[in-house]
């Protein structure tokens, strides 16, 4: 990885991507593979940040397969999950059964996101047109005559200026690019935040992804020798919880997931708990002349059902399919950018709508202490495979899976 350096000279970059998350790294990789000069700027020095989503969905694995990378990817340490089970209001429930899917991989991969991003970076570096600058934070846009023509940023060696035919904001839910762009954000509201913790895993622990009861919801992601957990709290309630003390928080965890009783003391104090602010919003318009936003920068996703990474990857695939040719010719127009939004805004809206419904249905007891049993019609329906099939499709594939249409121009070269 190249550390940031002074980039005042005009770099040979057709496309400059702000943010090396799933959306930015996948887009950077696809464009470089198609022979386009691309520069990804990532503000952190590495990908080693904990508590990012760690799910790689069957549709992303399908993308990997289409790219000829699946076998290599699956050599990395990971867990494969085909049955996603939960306990809600004391009742076992099948959230997803990937064996219903018609994808190449009928399972979801659990892999720390730094490994996933590291893999994409490694694959990208095989192409001479792929450039990744770590420790380089985008701080502003360069505009000329109403058109975005580049970005300003800062790196350890000093200020940075990059000019490009197209700037892509893939810098996540607190996107600087979109803040600077003047694009209008529609807040669709997220009623919760998440307290992220890790607790050790034991051999006989239940194989459950979600535990929800009496107004409390805990997600447990298997990381091999430990559980990466997210405890949902109503927005604004985290401070009150902190004031009640760590012992009270430990008791809440045990209440919803009793098997963790023997190890909650691993949370010594609040420094072992990381609060993540959940956002749910979307841009009215994802683009301006010279600028496009994708992934969470275009539509911040809540963690409900863990589908945000999938959507970010699908955005990147669609954007690369539509942009590779015009970028090569130096002729990206508003119509190309509009086409990307048109293509991706339907699955985004539908996914956000589903997340809102699920949050309301399943997690509605967040601030209520009584048992949260699913309503009887839902329990009845759960006896059929239909709800499970629908959820599986939603989690595993999403509403409009994209397929790689960009070529590998270096293949055999
Ligand atoms: C608590 C929580 C848990 C979640 N769990 C899951 C899950 O399990 N599965 C799932 O699919 N989704 C999950 N999500 C949603 C998921 O994290 C996002 O939808 C997804 O990461 C979006 O990918 P992205 O590439 O658009 O943005 P991000 O993943 O946010 O990546 C943005 C990148 O840009 C970099 N960056 C930011 N600002 C700048 C800047 N100014 N200059 C340069 N670089 C910058 C960041 O360092 C980061 O690397 C969760 C969300 C939350 C809040």
């Amino acid at each position: 990885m190249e550390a940031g350096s002074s980039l005042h000279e005009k770099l040979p970059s057709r496309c400059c991507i702000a943010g090396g998350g799933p959306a930015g790294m996948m887009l950077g990789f696809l464009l470089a593979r198609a022979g386009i000069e691309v520069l990804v700027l990532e503000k952190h020095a590495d990908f080693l940040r904990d508590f990012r989503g760690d799910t790689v969905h069957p549709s992303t694995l399908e993308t990997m397969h289409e790219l000829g990378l699946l076998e290599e990817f699956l050599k990395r340490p990971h867990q494969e999950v085909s049955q996603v089970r939960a306990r809600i209001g004391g009742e076992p429930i099948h959230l997803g059964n990937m064996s219903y899917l018609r994808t190449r991989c009928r399972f979801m991969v659990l892999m720390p996101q730094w490994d996933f991003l590291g893999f994409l970076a490694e694959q990208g570096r095989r192409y001479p047109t792929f450039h990744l600058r770590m420790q380089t934070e985008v701080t502003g846009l360069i505009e000329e005559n109403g058109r975005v023509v580049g970005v300003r940023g800062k790196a350890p060696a000093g200020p940075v200026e990059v000019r490009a035919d197209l700037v892509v904001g893939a810098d996540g839910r607190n996107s600087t690019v979109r803040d600077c762009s003047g694009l209008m954000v529609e807040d669709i509201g997220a009623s919760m935040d998440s307290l992220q913790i890790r607790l050790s895993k034991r051999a006989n622990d239940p194989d459950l992804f979600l535990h929800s009861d009496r107004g409390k919801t805990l997600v447990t992601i298997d990381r091999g020798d430990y559980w990466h957990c997210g405890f949902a709290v109503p927005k604004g309630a985290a401070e009150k919880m902190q004031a009640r003390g760590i012992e009270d928080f430990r008791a809440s965890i045990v209440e919803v997931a009793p098997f963790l009783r023997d190890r909650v003391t691993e949370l010594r104090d609040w420094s072992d708990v990381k609060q993540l602010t959940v956002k749910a919003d979307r841009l009215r318009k994802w683009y301006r002349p010279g600028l496009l936003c994708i992934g969470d920068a275009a539509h911040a996703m809540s963690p409900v059902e863990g589908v945000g990474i999938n959507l970010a990857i699908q955005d990147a695939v669609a954007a690369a399919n539509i942009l590779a040719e015009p970028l090569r010719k130096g002729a990206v127009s508003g119509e190309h950018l509009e086409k990307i939004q048109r293509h991706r805004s339907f699955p985004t809206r539908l996914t956000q709508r589903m997340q809102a419904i699920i949050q309301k249905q399943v997690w509605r007891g967040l601030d209520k202490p009584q048992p949260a049993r699913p309503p009887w019609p839902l329990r009845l329906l759960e006896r059929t495979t239909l709800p499970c099939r629908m959820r599986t499709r939603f989690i595993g594939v999403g509403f409009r899976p994209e397929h790689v249409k960009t070529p590998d121009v270096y293949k055999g070269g």
Side-chain angles (χ1 to χ4, degrees):
M1 262 166 236
E2 296 163 65
S5 57
S6 196
L7 302 175
H8 278 294
E9 77 277 24
K10 189 177 178 212
L11 285 173
S13 182
R14 285 257 182 231
C15 180
C16 176
I17 300 172
M25 291 303 290
M26 180 55 89
L27 180 61
F29 168 75
L30 287 168
L31 291 179
R33 179 177 171 271
I36 314 293
E37 289 288 346
V38 59
L39 174 62
V40 182
L41 304 177
E42 165 56 47
K43 74 174 173 184
H44 288 103
D46 51 40
F47 299 122
L48 286 174
R49 287 176 304 296
D50 212 341
F51 304 127
R52 312 178 63 140
D54 290 338
T55 47
V56 184
H57 299 75
S59 60
T60 301
L61 297 171
E62 198 80 1
T63 303
M64 293 294 197
H65 167 66
E66 291 171 5
L67 292 167
L69 299 177
L70 184 62
E71 219 173 292
E72 197 57 33
F73 180 65
L74 292 179
K75 283 184 190 155
R76 304 251 160 158
H78 68 277
Q79 280 85 45
E80 293 176 9
V81 177
S82 60
Q83 311 289 328
V84 187
R85 296 190 181 88
R87 183 169 287 276
I88 297 175
E91 305 228 349
I93 186 166
H94 234 105
L95 279 183
N97 179 352
M98 304 288 165
S99 65
Y100 290 143
L101 293 174
R102 292 204 191 133
T103 44
R104 177 155 297 262
C105 295
R106 296 178 182 196
F107 53 81
M108 185 164 76
V109 160
L110 298 183
M111 183 187 281
Q113 206 182 102
W114 57 81
D115 280 345
F116 175 55
L117 297 176
F119 178 80
L120 289 177
E122 197 180 297
Q123 296 303 321
R125 268 188 234 107
R126 288 169 37 216
Y127 301 103
T129 41
F130 180 84
H131 310 280
L132 170 63
R133 300 275 174 155
M134 304 301 285
Q135 278 182 284
T136 307
E137 179 177 357
V138 172
T139 52
L141 298 172
I142 305 171
E143 298 189 36
E144 279 171 11
N145 305 320
R147 185 182 174 86
V148 175
V149 294
V151 298
R152 283 195 190 83
K154 55 180 185 192
V160 166
E161 196 174 301
V162 181
R163 295 202 164 229
D165 291 351
L166 180 70
V167 170
V168 178
D171 47 347
R173 60 186 188 277
N174 298 313
S175 170
T176 302
V177 168
R178 87 173 184 188
D179 282 354
C180 297
S181 70
L183 293 168
M184 294 265 290
V185 183
E186 212 178 314
D187 189 353
I188 54 173
S191 52
M192 57 161 207
D193 284 327
S194 176
L195 300 179
Q196 307 270 310
I197 53 173
R198 56 159 83 184
L199 292 170
S200 55
K201 186 167 169 265
R202 309 266 153 86
N204 296 327
D205 285 349
D207 176 21
L208 295 174
F209 186 75
L210 184 137
H211 317 252
S212 184
D213 203 359
R214 294 170 194 273
K216 298 183 176 68
T217 295
L218 181 78
V219 172
T220 42
I221 297 178
D222 184 355
R223 281 273 191 89
D225 55 350
Y226 68 93
W227 293 107
H228 170 170
C229 312
F231 188 88
V233 288
K235 264 227 178 294
E239 289 72 22
K240 281 187 212 143
M241 287 188 75
Q242 284 201 19
R244 287 202 296 271
I246 194 75
E247 190 47 55
D248 194 78
F249 180 50
R250 290 184 194 137
S252 297
I253 294 169
V254 173
E255 202 180 328
V256 71
F259 74 98
L260 295 171
R261 182 184 306 278
D262 59 355
R263 66 207 90 154
V264 280
T265 46
E266 288 170 16
L267 302 175
R268 292 158 304 171
D269 53 45
W270 286 103
S271 66
D272 290 329
V273 182
K274 181 162 168 53
Q275 184 185 344
L276 286 191
T277 307
V278 174
K279 271 189 178 182
D281 63 28
R282 59 186 169 238
L283 288 177
R284 291 223 174 118
K285 206 169 150 199
W286 296 17
Y287 62 93
R288 273 183 51 187
L291 174 74
L292 170 73
C293 290
I294 61 169
D296 268 21
H299 46 74
M301 303 302 293
S302 93
V304 172
E305 304 279 292
V307 289
I309 295 168
N310 193 23
L311 219 61
I313 296 283
Q314 302 295 307
D315 281 3
V317 174
N321 287 345
I322 294 168
L323 291 173
E325 209 40 46
L327 273 170
R328 195 189 321 283
K329 294 179 184 152
V332 175
S333 69
E335 273 134 55
H336 295 117
L337 304 180
E338 198 256 331
K339 193 171 169 191
I340 296 166
Q341 175 169 358
R342 219 178 331 120
H343 207 71
R344 296 303 307 157
S345 101
F346 161 74
T348 300
R349 282 172 175 270
L350 212 52
T351 307
Q352 288 183 325
R353 183 85 200 105
M354 285 293 287
Q355 286 189 316
I357 291 170
I358 292 167
Q359 185 168 313
K360 209 166 155 202
Q361 283 292 320
V362 182
W363 294 4
R364 69 198 156 140
L366 271 180
D367 51 359
K368 299 191 187 91
Q370 65 268 38
R373 261 191 120 198
W376 71 263
L378 199 63
R379 294 208 309 274
L380 201 63
L381 200 61
E382 282 299 335
R383 288 167 194 239
T384 73
T385 61
L386 184 69
C388 183
R389 280 175 187 266
M390 285 164 65
R391 280 193 300 264
T392 303
R393 171 92 196 163
F394 172 59
I395 299 171
V397 178
F399 292 113
R400 180 179 271 169
E402 304 287 344
H403 297 282
V404 177
K405 295 188 186 136
T406 43
D408 182 346
V409 297
Y410 299 95
K411 205 167 188 178

